[in-house]
Amino acid sequence: MKLLTFGAITPFGSNIAEHCLNKSKQVAPRVEYLEYFIHGAKRKIAVHRALSPTIKLPVPDGVLRRMGLSTQLALSCIEEACSSLQVDLKNKKIALLVGTTQGPSSTNIEYFKRLVSFNYRGASPNLFAQSVYNNIASSVALAHSWNGPTCTLVQEEGLWPSLMKIAKLWLQEASADYVWVIVGNEMSLHVPYFQLYDRVKEDSDLEVFTPRISDMPDEAYSCFLLGPNTSSNGADFDLKNTSGILSRAEHVGCSLSPERIGVSLAEFFYKEKSLNV
Amino acid sequence: MSVCVTGMGALSILGKSLSAHAQVLFSPTQNGEKVALAYAPRVDRLSQTPPDLRMIEIEDEIAHFQQLLNCPLSRNGVLALCAFEESLVSAQLDISELQGKKIAFILGTTAGCSGTDTQYIEDFVMDRSPDPSSFRVMLRQNPAEVLRKYCVARGVSASFELMLVNNACTSATDALGLASKLLETEDYDFAFAGGTDEILFQTYYGFASLQLLSSHFRSSPFDKNRDGLLLTEGAAILCLEKAEKFNKRRLGAKAFGEIIGYESVTETFHQTSSSPEAEGLTEATRKLLGKAQFSSSDIDFISAHATGTPNNDATEGAFFLKNFPNTKITATKGYTGHCLGAVGALEVIFCMLSFAEKKLPATLGFVEADPSIGIVPVKEVTPFVPFKKVPIALSTSVGFGGVNSILLLRGVAE
């Protein structure tokens, strides 16, 4: 497969260039403090949040009336990736493969909150539709009018190899001319809650907990546009070439690793591209 | 290369085994009046409960599998385990035969992976400081992973590949389609594919808010008075093998059938509705039949997605009438309800049973044709004679996000 373009949005930058620059300069990632009520007191935990996405939608207002954070993050890195794309995607069969572990979690929680707060009579159809896991893929498809196959994989272990197998299959079978692989997680409110809950004892006076960076769940999305080997543009994208990155990133130590692997791959290809230039 | 269905396992509100399903599906109905729901509706959460959550009684199975795996399990995982065990028996596979093999577990689900401990989430969003231990377990309840744990607990050491597909109502169809394709390229010895979904009250209310639920608590596919779907739960897992490996493993044995094609297309029309012109189904069918070099007149019958919602059935019905005028259409959600991420696989199993029985199940719930569509599905259990030597069927699935997925199935020669 050929890699035609890529993009990322992370706590260090709203695009891969900014991310790499800030990381190399050891600029602090964006940190936000989430507040939880644990053992009778409000406690705070520091988490990494991706920079706020800004998106220019390619479709008229109203086609996508509301978007969850995951969709916005995914669209943001696609917008970045498309800005340097040298092939025309118009009238092509574009497939979307999304890999995530938590899906649109903030929308899910918001949907639940409304449901519970209004004694189970407050279900919002809009929030429910957005809380469905494949909403990220379908919203991106709707935003860009891409009508190839879409597939959302929800798993932690073996996510990247699975995504690569499906992408290769779709390209080989001509189910799609190009395949976007989009991987990421938005900050799932449960995950830092676990860390804080485990850390805080009932008689503890700890008010703010700042985990080590390697233990902090990340909020990041990255995307990669893959084409067949016959594409005249692009770099070779093969799991064998990137297996070192995959294995390093798999062992970063955070349970939500797929988004870290995605960002690591984007970093790798950005540096490769810079070297080639 | 041919991908055979060599084993099957199914649970739904109709029953907890293949034979229970076959018994109901192929017994005569009287204009949809005979409903054989094996399990009664159960109220789960008192005043906050949806009025008619149809759940499968699996309390004994939950206790059994939790003891075997020595860990807490969600309903979703246990439903998958029940279907998986039956698929092994049906494939005449002793678990020890999986030793040292390359095995793929490719499952679909929807709400089943979004955290099923509703009490925890309720406490969490209401700032009641819940103990997260139960939810922590739930977060690790990838049903494909649960199947692997089961194999390991039974002493199997093998090379496992796991995939969990979450494509709304097409999840199981996509899992089966991908598994059948990957079986050709990845050299798996066995692929166990299908879907599992437990019913969750938050899902129930979501569908209710979209006004997609039947007020009569039954699904009436293609009927003039259909008014929505019946949300249920279930699991269906199929054992897939390459024909040559199966023939070697069980000399002279017959498979249930084959998966000979799969296509999926996303139509960019609306998040939760199908386009009136059935753009997605049209494109997916065109590609599927084109690649397989079949024409619409080769298709003996279609197992329709047909949820019983006004929008879905109108789109699908008009599409079938236009493109498959001579093909018999059957829809089984009148029996099983809509078990979301499992239903695609359940309906493929029904197609395989139809191949074996040479009969099509009735479209339970269909009484009177909707004049705005004009489609009349099979009303009674109907014998069929294949157009050619071997019967060919399509199984369609349509899901939120505009996903349209179709499987092309073939029976076995006499």
Side-chain angles (χ1 to χ4, degrees), chain A residues 37-38 42 111 120 125 133-134 138-139 141 147-150 152-155 157 165 173 193-194 197-198, chain B residues 48 122 127 129-130 136 148 161-164 166-167 181 201-202 205-206 209 266 268 271 291 400-401:
Chain A
F37 198 74
I38 295 180
K42 285 272 180 197
Y111 167 69
Y120 300 89
Y133 272 63
N134 74 329
S138 61
S139 296
N147 59 3
T150 56
T152 300
L153 294 186
V154 182
Q155 63 195 77
E157 188 188 315
K165 280 174 188 171
E173 292 241 321
Y193 176 81
F194 291 165
Y197 193 94
D198 289 346
Chain B
Q48 296 170 344
E122 188 178 313
D127 263 355
S129 185
R136 201 193 305 268
R148 174 169 64 178
E161 287 199 14
L162 315 178
M163 280 190 207
L164 188 62
N166 195 324
N167 276 7
K181 296 283 182 187
F201 77 101
Q202 59 266 39
Y205 281 109
S209 72
T266 303
T268 52
Q271 292 283 14
K291 281 183 188 174
F400 277 7

Side-chain angles (χ1 to χ4, degrees), chain B residues 144-162:
Chain B
E145 171 66 24
V146 170
L147 296 193
R148 174 169 64 178
K149 279 183 188 159
Y150 170 86
C151 291
V152 172
R154 298 281 309 271
V156 173
S157 172
S159 165
F160 295 104
E161 287 199 14
L162 315 178

Side-chain angles (χ1 to χ4, degrees), chain B residues 93-399:
Chain B
L93 253 179
D94 187 85
I95 188 101
S96 62
E97 291 177 70
L98 301 184
Q99 184 72 23
K101 296 287 195 287
K102 190 172 179 185
I103 300 159
F105 291 128
I106 303 180
L107 297 187
T109 192
T110 63
C113 66
S114 63
T116 51
D117 193 329
T118 49
Q119 187 60 54
Y120 168 81
I121 302 220
E122 188 178 313
D123 288 343
F124 181 81
V125 299
M126 297 305 281
D127 263 355
R128 291 189 204 127
S129 185
D131 179 341
S133 54
S134 61
F135 193 72
R136 201 193 305 268
V137 171
M138 295 302 166
L139 278 176
R140 285 159 174 71
Q141 292 281 337
N142 174 340
E145 171 66 24
V146 170
L147 296 193
R148 174 169 64 178
K149 279 183 188 159
Y150 170 86
C151 291
V152 172
R154 298 281 309 271
V156 173
S157 172
S159 165
F160 295 104
E161 287 199 14
L162 315 178
M163 280 190 207
L164 188 62
V165 177
N166 195 324
N167 276 7
C169 305
T170 69
S171 298
T173 305
D174 292 322
L176 275 170
L178 289 170
S180 67
K181 296 283 182 187
L182 290 172
L183 195 67
E184 293 177 7
T185 57
E186 295 297 322
D187 203 30
Y188 302 134
D189 293 296
F190 302 99
F192 291 91
T196 177
D197 240 330
E198 65 175 307
I199 190 166
L200 297 174
F201 77 101
Q202 59 266 39
T203 314
Y204 178 93
Y205 281 109
F207 275 91
S209 72
L210 287 162
Q211 301 184 344
L212 292 174
L213 297 182
S214 164
S215 57
H216 303 101
F217 308 112
R218 62 184 298 177
S219 173
S220 306
F222 299 122
D223 186 69
K224 182 185 168 188
N225 297 313
R226 71 190 183 281
D227 70 341
L229 57 87
L230 172 69
L231 206 59
T232 58
E233 63 183 7
I237 292 179
L238 292 85
C239 176
L240 307 181
E241 294 176 69
K242 279 179 206 153
E244 61 267 38
K245 286 199 175 182
F246 172 66
N247 292 335
K248 205 172 158 188
R249 182 171 74 82
R250 286 178 58 199
L251 200 62
K254 273 188 185 173
F256 290 95
E258 296 170 276
I259 298 178
I260 54 172
Y262 160 67
E263 280 297 331
S264 180
V265 163
T266 303
E267 58 179 30
T268 52
F269 174 72
H270 190 271
Q271 292 283 14
T272 54
S273 300
S274 313
S275 72
E277 293 78 26
E279 289 163 19
L281 276 177
T282 306
E283 178 64 6
T285 308
R286 187 188 64 76
K287 285 161 73 176
L288 180 67
L289 296 183
K291 281 183 188 174
Q293 298 185 317
F294 280 74
S295 74
S296 59
S297 59
D298 293 324
I299 308 300
D300 291 290
F301 68 91
I302 296 174
S303 168
H305 184 64
T307 55
T309 58
N311 172 264
N312 177 88
D313 291 15
T315 301
E316 227 184 342
F319 168 76
F320 293 144
L321 263 190
K322 183 180 167 190
N323 296 284
F324 295 92
N326 301 316
T327 301
K328 292 183 174 67
I329 310 292
T330 183
T332 49
K333 288 191 178 66
Y335 292 100
T336 63
H338 191 354
C339 45
L340 301 178
V343 82
L346 199 59
E347 288 166 1
V348 169
I349 287 179
F350 296 166
C351 290
M352 295 293 152
L353 293 176
S354 295
F355 290 151
E357 297 274 342
K358 299 187 184 64
K359 290 178 196 166
L360 297 181
T363 303
L364 187 66
F366 175 86
V367 177
E368 189 180 352
D370 181 344
S372 68
I373 316 173
I375 191 165
V376 180
V378 293
K379 289 202 241 181
E380 306 286 344
V381 175
T382 306
F384 75 93
V385 178
F387 295 139
K388 293 181 180 167
K389 276 184 182 173
V390 183
I392 304 288
L394 288 180
S395 181
T396 60
S397 290
V398 181

